[in-house]
Amino acid sequence: MRIVLMGPPGVGKGTQAVRLSEKLGVVHVSTGDILREAVADGTGLGKKVREYLESGQLVPDGLMGDLIAERLGQDDARGGFILDGFPRTLEQIAILDRVLRRLGVELDVAVELVADEAEIIRRLGGRRVCPQCRQVYHLENRPPKAAGVCDACGSALVQRPDDEESVIRDRLEVFARQTRPVHDAYGQRGLLKEVDGHGDPADVFERVAGLMERV
Ligand code: AP5
């Protein structure tokens, strides 16, 4: 299956994409993870995008287009993929259309997770991540066994710079202004399916997985 997973910052896209990728046996492509890895590795791309990530602004469409064309062209994406965090603008929809046409495949569904703003702010404010193995925790909902330490690799957990309160507000504003039209465009194509993102991650996953059986 070829799935776009959408929704505002912190709604739980990454959390659900990991589970769905395991269930469906398709690769999880998170543009945010790819960009953060480039920043951490200090690559040319990382140097170009660092400021955008830290301030919560969107990386320019041209850079994103090159990135997504390369990633979806790789062997592990042949059998399908879950795109987490792309497309985020109308131009990125056009870029994705071109890449899919070149590959001779089509999108099956665009899933949008929905949650209210107070819940999103609570999720982002409590998120902690492992800078080494990229595991994601939450201070209340998914705390590590030992405070501040990654269960999987023992590294010290950190807060993403864009999870600072002032940046969270900016990201929500960017989402409302620049990414909302993507919802409308996929809606017009009949590809959009909304899923309630409230509740325990396992309950949300049941809804997402149930939807996949009907696609
Ligand atoms: P990206 O990494 O994609 O960030 P985002 O869309 O803002 O999403 P998040 O990763 O913050 O949240 P999520 O929805 O995955 O939630 P999660 O599962 O972690 O992008 C970062 C930046 O990269 C952008 O700002 C931009 O600069 C750039 N970028 C990326 N793609 C781009 C593009 N296409 N174009 C241009 N720029 C781009 O969950 C959040 C927290 O809540 C976690 O702690 C989790 O444990 C917890 N949680 C999850 N689900 C639940 C639940 N059901 N109940 C309780 N807690 C939960």
Side-chain angles (χ1 to χ4, degrees):
M1 290 194 79
R2 294 174 185 84
I3 301 161
V4 162
L5 188 55
M6 318 187 325
V11 73
K13 300 181 294 296
T15 301
Q16 297 302 324
V18 168
R19 292 168 183 237
L20 198 56
S21 142
E22 276 170 22
K23 181 177 167 76
L24 300 178
V26 296
V27 69
H28 169 203
V29 175
S30 158
T31 46
D33 284 351
I34 295 172
L35 294 168
R36 276 185 291 278
E37 212 168 295
V39 171
D41 293 346
T43 64
L45 173 68
K47 288 183 185 127
K48 283 186 201 155
V49 302
R50 179 182 204 119
E51 272 186 34
Y52 294 103
L53 262 74
E54 290 183 353
S55 63
Q57 299 303 309
L58 294 186
V59 170
D61 290 334
L63 284 177
M64 294 308 302
D66 294 344
L67 183 155
I68 213 70
E70 195 205 320
R71 183 64 190 88
L72 294 188
Q74 289 172 8
D75 283 350
D76 64 352
R78 270 197 204 152
F81 51 74
I82 300 164
L83 262 183
D84 162 7
F86 190 97
R88 272 167 137 109
T89 63
L90 292 177
E91 176 55 26
Q92 290 184 13
I93 290 190
I95 290 169
L96 181 59
D97 286 345
R98 287 197 291 275
V99 171
L100 295 181
R101 212 175 302 129
R102 207 177 311 136
L103 294 170
V105 296
E106 287 185 359
L107 210 57
D108 293 295
V109 64
V111 180
E112 175 156 359
L113 294 175
V114 183
D116 61 56
E117 194 169 303
E119 176 63 9
I120 284 169
I121 291 171
R122 198 181 65 79
R123 289 183 187 178
L124 288 176
R127 176 164 57 186
R128 296 294 181 271
V129 296
C130 175
Q132 287 303 322
C133 70
R134 315 258 163 231
Q135 289 284 321
V136 177
Y137 298 88
H138 191 278
L139 294 178
E140 291 158 17
N141 307 329
R142 196 186 170 229
K145 290 190 187 103
V149 180
C150 178
D151 294 347
C153 74
S155 302
L157 301 180
V158 297
Q159 187 171 28
R160 271 172 45 177
D162 59 346
D163 282 349
E164 301 284 344
E165 203 178 319
S166 62
V167 187
I168 290 174
R169 296 274 172 206
D170 289 345
R171 288 164 67 201
L172 289 171
E173 199 269 324
V174 165
F175 176 79
R177 187 165 33 88
Q178 293 180 263
T179 306
R180 185 48 60 188
V182 173
H183 162 105
D184 299 338
Y186 280 139
Q188 280 160 15
R189 292 186 189 188
L191 283 171
L192 185 73
K193 305 281 178 205
E194 288 187 337
V195 173
D196 181 5
H198 294 98
D200 190 76
D203 295 336
V204 178
F205 184 65
E206 242 180 67
R207 284 175 218 137
V208 175
L211 169 67
M212 288 307 143
E213 282 165 20
R214 299 192 297 276
V215 169

Short mmCIF file of all heavy atoms in Angstrom, two decimals, residues 8-15 31-32 35-36 52-53 56-59 64 85-86 88 92 119 123-124 127 136-138 141 160 162 171 197 199-201 204, ligand 1:
data_model
loop_
_atom_site.label_atom_id
_atom_site.label_comp_id
_atom_site.label_asym_id
_atom_site.label_seq_id
_atom_site.Cartn_x
_atom_site.Cartn_y
_atom_site.Cartn_z
N PRO A 8 -1.63 17.52 12.20
CA PRO A 8 -0.82 18.58 12.79
C PRO A 8 0.38 18.04 13.57
O PRO A 8 0.42 16.85 13.90
CB PRO A 8 -1.81 19.28 13.74
CG PRO A 8 -2.91 18.32 13.96
CD PRO A 8 -2.98 17.45 12.75
N PRO A 9 1.35 18.91 13.87
CA PRO A 9 2.50 18.51 14.66
C PRO A 9 2.04 17.83 15.95
O PRO A 9 1.11 18.32 16.61
CB PRO A 9 3.19 19.83 15.01
CG PRO A 9 2.66 20.84 14.07
CD PRO A 9 1.35 20.35 13.55
N GLY A 10 2.65 16.72 16.29
CA GLY A 10 2.40 16.10 17.59
C GLY A 10 1.12 15.30 17.70
O GLY A 10 0.80 14.77 18.76
N VAL A 11 0.38 15.15 16.62
CA VAL A 11 -0.90 14.43 16.71
C VAL A 11 -0.69 12.92 16.88
O VAL A 11 -1.59 12.20 17.29
CB VAL A 11 -1.78 14.76 15.49
CG1 VAL A 11 -1.26 14.07 14.23
CG2 VAL A 11 -3.24 14.41 15.75
N GLY A 12 0.54 12.46 16.53
CA GLY A 12 0.83 11.03 16.70
C GLY A 12 1.14 10.31 15.39
O GLY A 12 1.09 9.09 15.33
N LYS A 13 1.53 11.06 14.37
CA LYS A 13 1.83 10.46 13.06
C LYS A 13 2.97 9.44 13.18
O LYS A 13 2.85 8.31 12.71
CB LYS A 13 2.21 11.53 12.02
CG LYS A 13 1.14 12.57 11.78
CD LYS A 13 1.58 13.58 10.74
CE LYS A 13 2.75 14.44 11.16
NZ LYS A 13 2.47 15.33 12.31
N GLY A 14 4.07 9.86 13.80
CA GLY A 14 5.22 8.97 13.92
C GLY A 14 4.87 7.72 14.72
O GLY A 14 5.22 6.60 14.32
N THR A 15 4.16 7.90 15.82
CA THR A 15 3.78 6.79 16.70
C THR A 15 2.96 5.77 15.92
O THR A 15 3.20 4.56 15.99
CB THR A 15 2.95 7.34 17.88
OG1 THR A 15 3.76 8.30 18.58
CG2 THR A 15 2.51 6.24 18.82
N THR A 31 9.82 12.39 6.69
CA THR A 31 10.70 13.46 6.19
C THR A 31 11.36 14.19 7.37
O THR A 31 12.52 14.59 7.28
CB THR A 31 9.93 14.45 5.29
OG1 THR A 31 8.70 14.81 5.91
CG2 THR A 31 9.68 13.85 3.93
N GLY A 32 10.62 14.34 8.48
CA GLY A 32 11.22 15.00 9.66
C GLY A 32 12.43 14.22 10.16
O GLY A 32 13.49 14.81 10.44
N LEU A 35 15.39 14.64 7.78
CA LEU A 35 16.01 15.97 7.91
C LEU A 35 16.80 16.09 9.21
O LEU A 35 17.91 16.62 9.24
CB LEU A 35 14.93 17.06 7.85
CG LEU A 35 14.20 17.19 6.50
CD1 LEU A 35 12.96 18.07 6.63
CD2 LEU A 35 15.13 17.76 5.43
N ARG A 36 16.22 15.57 10.32
CA ARG A 36 16.94 15.65 11.61
C ARG A 36 18.24 14.85 11.57
O ARG A 36 19.24 15.27 12.13
CB ARG A 36 16.04 15.15 12.76
CG ARG A 36 15.10 16.21 13.30
CD ARG A 36 14.32 15.72 14.50
NE ARG A 36 13.36 14.71 14.15
CZ ARG A 36 12.15 14.94 13.63
NH1 ARG A 36 11.75 16.18 13.45
NH2 ARG A 36 11.33 13.96 13.32
N TYR A 52 15.46 26.02 9.55
CA TYR A 52 14.03 25.79 9.31
C TYR A 52 13.47 24.87 10.39
O TYR A 52 12.40 25.12 10.94
CB TYR A 52 13.79 25.15 7.94
CG TYR A 52 14.16 26.03 6.76
CD1 TYR A 52 15.32 25.81 6.05
CD2 TYR A 52 13.32 27.06 6.37
CE1 TYR A 52 15.66 26.60 4.97
CE2 TYR A 52 13.64 27.86 5.28
CZ TYR A 52 14.81 27.63 4.59
OH TYR A 52 15.14 28.41 3.52
N LEU A 53 14.21 23.79 10.66
CA LEU A 53 13.71 22.82 11.64
C LEU A 53 13.60 23.45 13.02
O LEU A 53 12.60 23.26 13.71
CB LEU A 53 14.64 21.60 11.70
CG LEU A 53 14.17 20.41 10.86
CD1 LEU A 53 14.37 20.66 9.39
CD2 LEU A 53 14.86 19.14 11.28
N GLY A 56 10.70 25.80 13.23
CA GLY A 56 9.37 25.26 12.93
C GLY A 56 8.82 25.71 11.59
O GLY A 56 7.64 25.52 11.30
N GLN A 57 9.68 26.27 10.74
CA GLN A 57 9.23 26.68 9.40
C GLN A 57 9.43 25.52 8.42
O GLN A 57 10.25 24.63 8.66
CB GLN A 57 10.04 27.90 8.91
CG GLN A 57 9.89 29.12 9.79
CD GLN A 57 8.44 29.56 9.95
OE1 GLN A 57 7.73 29.73 8.96
NE2 GLN A 57 7.99 29.73 11.18
N LEU A 58 8.69 25.54 7.31
CA LEU A 58 8.83 24.47 6.33
C LEU A 58 10.13 24.63 5.53
O LEU A 58 10.49 25.76 5.15
CB LEU A 58 7.64 24.45 5.36
CG LEU A 58 6.28 24.09 5.96
CD1 LEU A 58 5.25 23.97 4.84
CD2 LEU A 58 6.34 22.81 6.77
N VAL A 59 10.78 23.54 5.27
CA VAL A 59 11.94 23.50 4.38
C VAL A 59 11.42 23.78 2.96
O VAL A 59 10.33 23.31 2.60
CB VAL A 59 12.62 22.11 4.48
CG1 VAL A 59 13.67 21.92 3.42
CG2 VAL A 59 13.18 21.91 5.90
N MET A 64 12.82 19.61 -0.62
CA MET A 64 12.00 18.46 -0.23
C MET A 64 11.73 17.55 -1.43
O MET A 64 11.67 16.33 -1.30
CB MET A 64 10.67 18.92 0.37
CG MET A 64 10.79 19.66 1.69
SD MET A 64 11.76 18.79 2.93
CE MET A 64 10.86 17.26 3.10
N GLY A 85 4.61 13.06 7.01
CA GLY A 85 5.12 14.44 6.98
C GLY A 85 5.32 15.00 5.58
O GLY A 85 5.88 16.08 5.43
N PHE A 86 4.88 14.31 4.58
CA PHE A 86 4.98 14.77 3.19
C PHE A 86 3.78 14.23 2.44
O PHE A 86 3.46 13.05 2.62
CB PHE A 86 6.27 14.24 2.55
CG PHE A 86 6.56 14.87 1.20
CD1 PHE A 86 7.43 15.93 1.08
CD2 PHE A 86 5.95 14.38 0.05
CE1 PHE A 86 7.68 16.51 -0.16
CE2 PHE A 86 6.18 14.95 -1.18
CZ PHE A 86 7.06 16.02 -1.29
N ARG A 88 3.29 18.58 2.39
CA ARG A 88 2.82 19.60 3.34
C ARG A 88 2.40 20.89 2.66
O ARG A 88 2.01 21.83 3.34
CB ARG A 88 3.95 19.93 4.31
CG ARG A 88 4.00 19.06 5.53
CD ARG A 88 5.34 19.30 6.23
NE ARG A 88 5.21 19.40 7.65
CZ ARG A 88 5.64 18.47 8.49
NH1 ARG A 88 6.18 17.36 8.05
NH2 ARG A 88 5.52 18.65 9.78
N GLN A 92 4.07 20.46 -2.99
CA GLN A 92 4.59 19.12 -2.66
C GLN A 92 3.65 18.01 -3.15
O GLN A 92 4.09 16.92 -3.48
CB GLN A 92 4.84 18.99 -1.15
CG GLN A 92 6.02 19.85 -0.70
CD GLN A 92 6.38 19.67 0.77
OE1 GLN A 92 5.93 18.74 1.44
NE2 GLN A 92 7.19 20.58 1.28
N GLU A 119 -4.65 18.97 23.44
CA GLU A 119 -4.03 17.64 23.49
C GLU A 119 -2.70 17.64 22.72
O GLU A 119 -1.71 17.05 23.16
CB GLU A 119 -5.01 16.60 22.91
CG GLU A 119 -4.47 15.18 22.82
CD GLU A 119 -4.11 14.55 24.17
OE1 GLU A 119 -4.43 15.13 25.22
OE2 GLU A 119 -3.46 13.48 24.15
N ARG A 123 0.96 16.76 24.21
CA ARG A 123 1.81 15.69 23.66
C ARG A 123 3.20 16.22 23.29
O ARG A 123 4.21 15.59 23.59
CB ARG A 123 1.14 15.06 22.42
CG ARG A 123 -0.06 14.22 22.78
CD ARG A 123 -0.67 13.53 21.57
NE ARG A 123 -1.92 12.87 21.93
CZ ARG A 123 -2.70 12.22 21.09
NH1 ARG A 123 -2.38 12.14 19.82
NH2 ARG A 123 -3.81 11.65 21.50
N LEU A 124 3.23 17.38 22.64
CA LEU A 124 4.53 17.91 22.20
C LEU A 124 5.37 18.38 23.39
O LEU A 124 6.59 18.16 23.42
CB LEU A 124 4.34 19.06 21.21
CG LEU A 124 3.86 18.64 19.83
CD1 LEU A 124 3.60 19.87 18.96
CD2 LEU A 124 4.86 17.74 19.14
N ARG A 127 7.06 15.42 25.07
CA ARG A 127 7.83 14.46 24.26
C ARG A 127 9.33 14.56 24.59
O ARG A 127 9.89 15.64 24.74
CB ARG A 127 7.64 14.75 22.77
CG ARG A 127 8.50 13.84 21.89
CD ARG A 127 8.07 13.82 20.46
NE ARG A 127 8.06 15.14 19.85
CZ ARG A 127 7.60 15.38 18.62
NH1 ARG A 127 7.09 14.39 17.90
NH2 ARG A 127 7.61 16.59 18.13
N VAL A 136 10.96 7.41 20.65
CA VAL A 136 10.17 8.57 21.10
C VAL A 136 9.46 8.21 22.40
O VAL A 136 8.83 7.15 22.49
CB VAL A 136 9.14 8.97 20.03
CG1 VAL A 136 8.27 10.12 20.51
CG2 VAL A 136 9.85 9.35 18.73
N TYR A 137 9.56 9.09 23.41
CA TYR A 137 8.90 8.88 24.71
C TYR A 137 7.99 10.05 25.01
O TYR A 137 8.00 11.06 24.32
CB TYR A 137 9.96 8.76 25.82
CG TYR A 137 10.89 7.59 25.62
CD1 TYR A 137 12.05 7.73 24.85
CD2 TYR A 137 10.60 6.36 26.18
CE1 TYR A 137 12.90 6.64 24.65
CE2 TYR A 137 11.45 5.27 25.99
CZ TYR A 137 12.59 5.42 25.23
OH TYR A 137 13.43 4.35 25.03
N HIS A 138 7.21 9.89 26.07
CA HIS A 138 6.42 11.01 26.59
C HIS A 138 6.50 10.95 28.11
O HIS A 138 6.38 9.85 28.68
CB HIS A 138 4.97 10.93 26.11
CG HIS A 138 4.21 12.18 26.41
ND1 HIS A 138 3.66 12.43 27.65
CD2 HIS A 138 3.95 13.28 25.66
CE1 HIS A 138 3.07 13.61 27.62
NE2 HIS A 138 3.22 14.15 26.43
N ASN A 141 2.71 9.83 29.12
CA ASN A 141 2.05 8.74 28.39
C ASN A 141 2.95 7.55 28.08
O ASN A 141 2.48 6.43 27.96
CB ASN A 141 1.51 9.24 27.04
CG ASN A 141 0.64 10.44 27.19
OD1 ASN A 141 -0.02 10.60 28.20
ND2 ASN A 141 0.64 11.30 26.20
N ARG A 160 13.28 17.91 21.62
CA ARG A 160 13.55 18.50 20.31
C ARG A 160 13.49 20.02 20.44
O ARG A 160 12.61 20.54 21.11
CB ARG A 160 12.48 18.03 19.30
CG ARG A 160 12.86 16.74 18.61
CD ARG A 160 11.77 16.14 17.77
NE ARG A 160 11.03 17.02 16.89
CZ ARG A 160 10.08 16.62 16.04
NH1 ARG A 160 9.77 15.31 15.97
NH2 ARG A 160 9.42 17.46 15.28
N ASP A 162 12.36 22.11 18.45
CA ASP A 162 11.08 22.65 17.98
C ASP A 162 9.91 22.24 18.89
O ASP A 162 8.76 22.53 18.58
CB ASP A 162 10.81 22.27 16.52
CG ASP A 162 10.77 20.77 16.25
OD1 ASP A 162 11.21 19.99 17.13
OD2 ASP A 162 10.29 20.38 15.17
N ARG A 171 4.65 26.29 14.82
CA ARG A 171 4.42 25.11 13.97
C ARG A 171 2.93 24.91 13.71
O ARG A 171 2.53 24.55 12.60
CB ARG A 171 5.01 23.86 14.63
CG ARG A 171 6.53 23.86 14.60
CD ARG A 171 7.10 22.86 15.58
NE ARG A 171 6.83 21.49 15.23
CZ ARG A 171 6.88 20.48 16.10
NH1 ARG A 171 7.17 20.71 17.38
NH2 ARG A 171 6.64 19.26 15.71
N GLY A 197 -7.67 11.02 16.51
CA GLY A 197 -6.36 10.73 17.12
C GLY A 197 -6.36 10.81 18.64
O GLY A 197 -5.31 10.69 19.25
N GLY A 199 -7.12 9.59 22.55
CA GLY A 199 -7.12 8.30 23.25
C GLY A 199 -5.76 7.64 23.20
O GLY A 199 -4.80 8.17 22.61
N ASP A 200 -5.71 6.49 23.81
CA ASP A 200 -4.47 5.73 23.91
C ASP A 200 -3.92 5.37 22.52
O ASP A 200 -4.71 5.12 21.61
CB ASP A 200 -4.85 4.44 24.67
CG ASP A 200 -3.64 3.67 25.06
OD1 ASP A 200 -2.98 4.09 26.01
OD2 ASP A 200 -3.35 2.66 24.39
N PRO A 201 -2.58 5.34 22.34
CA PRO A 201 -2.02 4.99 21.03
C PRO A 201 -2.58 3.67 20.48
O PRO A 201 -2.80 3.54 19.27
CB PRO A 201 -0.52 4.88 21.29
CG PRO A 201 -0.26 5.79 22.44
CD PRO A 201 -1.51 5.73 23.29
N VAL A 204 -6.00 4.33 19.02
CA VAL A 204 -5.89 5.06 17.74
C VAL A 204 -5.47 4.08 16.65
O VAL A 204 -5.99 4.08 15.54
CB VAL A 204 -4.88 6.23 17.85
CG1 VAL A 204 -4.74 6.94 16.51
CG2 VAL A 204 -5.30 7.22 18.94
P1 AP5 B 1 8.19 16.41 11.58
O1 AP5 B 1 9.19 15.62 12.29
O2 AP5 B 1 7.39 15.78 10.49
O3 AP5 B 1 7.24 17.05 12.69
P2 AP5 B 1 5.68 17.21 12.81
O4 AP5 B 1 4.83 17.02 11.63
O5 AP5 B 1 5.59 18.56 13.45
O6 AP5 B 1 5.29 16.01 13.66
P3 AP5 B 1 5.94 15.53 14.98
O7 AP5 B 1 7.10 14.64 14.69
O8 AP5 B 1 6.20 16.69 15.89
O9 AP5 B 1 4.72 14.75 15.65
P4 AP5 B 1 3.98 13.41 15.29
O10 AP5 B 1 2.64 13.72 14.72
O11 AP5 B 1 4.87 12.46 14.54
O12 AP5 B 1 3.74 12.90 16.78
P5 AP5 B 1 4.48 11.76 17.63
O13 AP5 B 1 4.03 10.42 17.16
O14 AP5 B 1 5.95 12.02 17.76
O15 AP5 B 1 8.82 17.72 10.95
C1 AP5 B 1 9.73 18.53 11.69
C2 AP5 B 1 10.21 19.68 10.82
O16 AP5 B 1 10.88 19.17 9.65
C3 AP5 B 1 9.11 20.61 10.26
O17 AP5 B 1 8.72 21.59 11.20
C4 AP5 B 1 9.84 21.20 9.04
O18 AP5 B 1 10.77 22.19 9.42
C5 AP5 B 1 10.60 20.00 8.52
N1 AP5 B 1 9.83 19.20 7.52
C6 AP5 B 1 9.45 17.89 7.65
N2 AP5 B 1 8.76 17.51 6.58
C7 AP5 B 1 8.68 18.58 5.76
C8 AP5 B 1 8.07 18.82 4.50
N3 AP5 B 1 7.36 17.87 3.86
N4 AP5 B 1 8.19 20.07 3.94
C9 AP5 B 1 8.90 21.03 4.57
N5 AP5 B 1 9.49 20.88 5.77
C10 AP5 B 1 9.40 19.67 6.35
O19 AP5 B 1 3.78 12.03 19.05
C11 AP5 B 1 4.04 13.21 19.79
C12 AP5 B 1 4.15 12.87 21.29
O20 AP5 B 1 2.87 12.40 21.75
C13 AP5 B 1 5.14 11.73 21.62
O21 AP5 B 1 5.74 12.01 22.84
C14 AP5 B 1 4.25 10.48 21.72
O22 AP5 B 1 4.79 9.53 22.62
C15 AP5 B 1 2.94 11.07 22.23
N6 AP5 B 1 1.76 10.37 21.70
C16 AP5 B 1 1.58 9.93 20.43
N7 AP5 B 1 0.36 9.38 20.29
C17 AP5 B 1 -0.25 9.51 21.51
C18 AP5 B 1 -1.54 9.16 22.01
N8 AP5 B 1 -2.46 8.54 21.23
N9 AP5 B 1 -1.82 9.45 23.29
C19 AP5 B 1 -0.93 10.07 24.07
N10 AP5 B 1 0.31 10.42 23.66
C20 AP5 B 1 0.65 10.14 22.40
#
